[in-house]
Amino acid sequence: MGYNEQYFFVAHSFGGNYTLKFAHENKGQVLGAVMIDIVSPYFMTMERGKSLKIEYADRLQEIKKRA
């Protein structure tokens, strides 16, 4: 995008993962961040993902229609 300055992020949900990854890979470029209800990599483990898939399996089609 042509930006090469310092950044301040506001991240929501899964965007928190991208913000954390960017901050880790671009040390010194991120001034700060506000994380709003993020799903961190430590929360969304493989086991948690499998559990959620089972939990919401019967409502998956309804959820997809709303997305």
Side-chain angles (χ1 to χ4, degrees):
M1 293 178 59
Y3 296 106
N4 56 9
E5 301 296 321
Q6 294 182 318
Y7 303 94
F8 189 96
F9 289 98
V10 177
H12 174 257
S13 190
F14 196 67
N17 286 331
Y18 293 111
T19 298
L20 292 170
K21 180 174 173 52
F22 183 90
H24 178 74
E25 293 178 355
N26 299 279
K27 294 181 183 350
Q29 282 190 280
V30 180
L31 294 172
V34 173
M35 306 290 190
I36 303 167
D37 196 22
I38 68 167
V39 178
S40 76
Y42 304 104
F43 173 76
M44 191 52 71
T45 62
M46 290 298 287
E47 293 80 19
R48 177 80 174 144
K50 289 176 186 177
S51 172
L52 287 172
K53 185 176 180 182
I54 292 167
E55 183 178 344
Y56 290 100
D58 61 330
R59 297 183 1 206
L60 185 58
Q61 293 306 316
E62 177 186 335
I63 292 168
K64 285 182 179 181
K65 287 178 186 176
R66 294 182 185 184

